[in-house]
Amino acid sequence: MNPLHSVLLVAALLCVGTASAEQEVNVYSYRQPFLIRPLFDAFTKETGIKVNVVFAEEGLVERLKREGANSPADLIFTVDIGRLSDAVEADLVQPVQSPVLTANIPAQFRDPGNLWFGLTTRARIFAVSKERVAPGEATSYEALAEPQWKGRICTRSGKHVYSVALTAAMIAHHGEAEAEKWLTGLKNNLARRPQGNDRAQVKAVKEGQCDLALINSYYVGNMMADKEQAEWVAAVNIVFPNQDSTGTHVNISGMAMTRSAPNPENAKKLMEFLSGDLAQQIYAEQNYEYPVNPQVPWSGLLKSWGEFKVDSLPLAQIAQYRTAAIKLADKVGYDD
Ligand code: FE
């Protein structure tokens, strides 16, 4: 090799060295950028690791499948145990062994095999008409199947992931036969065919179409912050169901490391960062959710709703009954 070639070779190696020294981690997110960007900026500030985000409303799991081993994604962020389970079932994620994650995240809210981890929790609560539902009248998910609620309940589709998780929890608690009776009773008590999202159910209560809506807790905060929807949510009281029995059903938003992650060390660092104090507080407050880390204080709004008993069923167990829950929704014709 002549001297000039040596110089060029060294220069080339230096270039490669520089390129790989730029630390980064790539995230595919179903969560909206405004929720996660502040956290990623804080992470970059602390570690120097750049976070690249691809956001999409849907199709990220399919995209991961398509890209296979060549995918640039290290982490996937999504809501609901249902969507995390979809990624697991498609064999797109890998376990992450981390004492930090297992210390910060209660066992109930992470996969026993460390394939996914919860970041925030959200409660499935009742929004009840201030005018037409007396205090103490709405008590439990089970009671929604009783005759007193005939024609008074609004919910979204029985096959939406939020509904499926609640039905799956009912199967886990009471068995499939009891859960079928319950879902049939609930269906028969609906004021209208399931339609719209959670917020639309609150609107229907405000407009007098029904007296009780099943919604995720963070929508209360979201609606209060929206000029038009603030009027809808002002018409309801919120109730945390099953306080005298199994506790309120909660779900998670969460994260998983992709099987093909090109930057697994950086990805693990980001996961650990997000389970810690600073990030947990910011993340939960952005969307009026509960921090999954029990050491982290709640925002003022959540505190104003009060502490409540949480259903202790592990999310992994609820996930096992998802398929049965979807079949049940079909069987009872919930959406018909
Ligand atoms: Fe939602």
Side-chain angles (χ1 to χ4, degrees):
M1 195 180 283
N2 70 39
L4 179 61
H5 282 155
S6 305
V7 168
L8 288 176
L9 180 62
V10 168
L13 285 171
L14 280 174
C15 280
V16 170
T18 315
S20 63
E22 218 222 312
Q23 293 288 315
E24 60 179 9
V25 55
N26 302 317
V27 174
Y28 280 8
S29 176
Y30 285 113
R31 300 230 79 188
Q32 295 172 55
F34 84 93
L35 291 173
I36 48 179
R37 198 69 252 180
L39 302 168
F40 293 164
D41 291 345
F43 174 73
T44 302
K45 208 171 158 195
E46 190 174 298
T47 62
I49 300 167
K50 195 176 153 210
V51 186
N52 307 307
V53 186
V54 172
F55 163 75
E57 297 264 345
E58 50 195 34
L60 290 176
V61 164
E62 292 69 24
R63 180 165 167 176
L64 276 173
K65 277 186 210 166
R66 255 194 336 267
E67 292 171 342
N70 297 321
S71 175
D74 295 295
L75 293 171
I76 179 157
F77 282 64
T78 187
V79 299
D80 204 276
I81 182 58
R83 298 202 176 117
L84 287 164
S85 301
D86 285 344
V88 171
E89 281 156 24
D91 201 22
L92 293 171
V93 301
Q94 64 171 308
V96 177
Q97 314 299 343
S98 159
V100 175
L101 290 176
T102 47
N104 285 345
I105 303 171
Q108 179 187 1
F109 301 124
R110 52 181 158 82
D111 178 57
N114 296 314
L115 289 171
W116 50 260
F117 297 86
L119 277 174
T120 58
T121 66
R122 56 270 298 283
R124 196 83 181 136
I125 60 173
F126 301 158
V128 300
S129 166
K130 283 180 178 169
E131 287 173 6
R132 300 181 301 279
V133 177
E137 190 182 344
T139 53
S140 68
Y141 303 112
E142 286 82 352
L144 298 185
E146 289 169 7
Q148 67 176 105
W149 292 104
K150 185 85 190 162
R152 298 174 69 193
I153 301 173
C154 282
T155 76
R156 74 194 308 160
S157 163
K159 290 200 273 194
H160 185 272
V161 283
Y162 302 164
S163 308
V164 168
L166 179 59
T167 303
M170 294 299 277
I171 296 172
H173 279 305
H174 304 295
E176 214 165 312
E178 275 303 306
E180 182 178 338
K181 273 189 221 159
W182 170 74
L183 198 62
T184 304
L186 171 55
K187 192 236 168 342
N188 290 338
N189 284 343
L190 293 180
R192 59 178 188 177
R193 204 172 63 80
Q195 58 199 272
N197 56 19
D198 280 3
R199 298 182 204 223
Q201 315 312 316
V202 178
K203 184 177 187 227
V205 173
K206 149 86 177 161
E207 290 173 346
Q209 291 184 59
C210 39
D211 298 343
L212 182 151
L214 259 174
I215 65 167
N216 279 354
S217 50
Y218 53 87
Y219 287 118
V220 176
N222 281 321
M223 295 177 81
M224 284 168 71
D226 180 284
K227 209 170 159 215
E228 189 193 2
Q229 297 172 3
E231 282 183 34
W232 309 348
V233 79
V236 300
N237 287 317
I238 61 172
V239 175
F240 289 86
N242 291 42
Q243 292 306 286
D244 296 329
S245 55
T246 48
T248 300
H249 168 70
V250 299
N251 211 313
I252 53 174
S253 79
M255 59 186 172
M257 191 186 291
T258 66
R259 176 173 284 282
S260 59
N263 308 290
E265 283 310 311
N266 292 347
K268 185 173 163 181
K269 277 185 198 151
L270 179 56
M271 294 173 100
E272 290 175 343
F273 176 84
L274 292 175
S275 73
D277 289 16
L278 171 72
Q280 278 283 300
Q281 209 160 334
I282 303 174
Y283 198 18
E285 278 184 26
Q286 296 278 343
N287 196 40
Y288 312 99
E289 291 177 88
Y290 296 93
V292 76
N293 182 334
Q295 308 301 325
V296 176
W298 293 0
S299 72
L301 181 67
L302 301 194
K303 274 190 202 145
S304 77
W305 298 342
E307 296 205 13
F308 62 97
K309 181 178 174 184
V310 172
D311 189 336
S312 61
L313 270 181
L315 267 284
Q317 202 176 324
I318 291 174
Q320 288 171 8
Y321 293 104
R322 282 179 64 240
T323 308
I326 294 166
K327 277 194 193 141
L328 215 51
D330 273 331
K331 193 172 174 191
V332 310
Y334 193 87
D335 287 354
D336 299 345

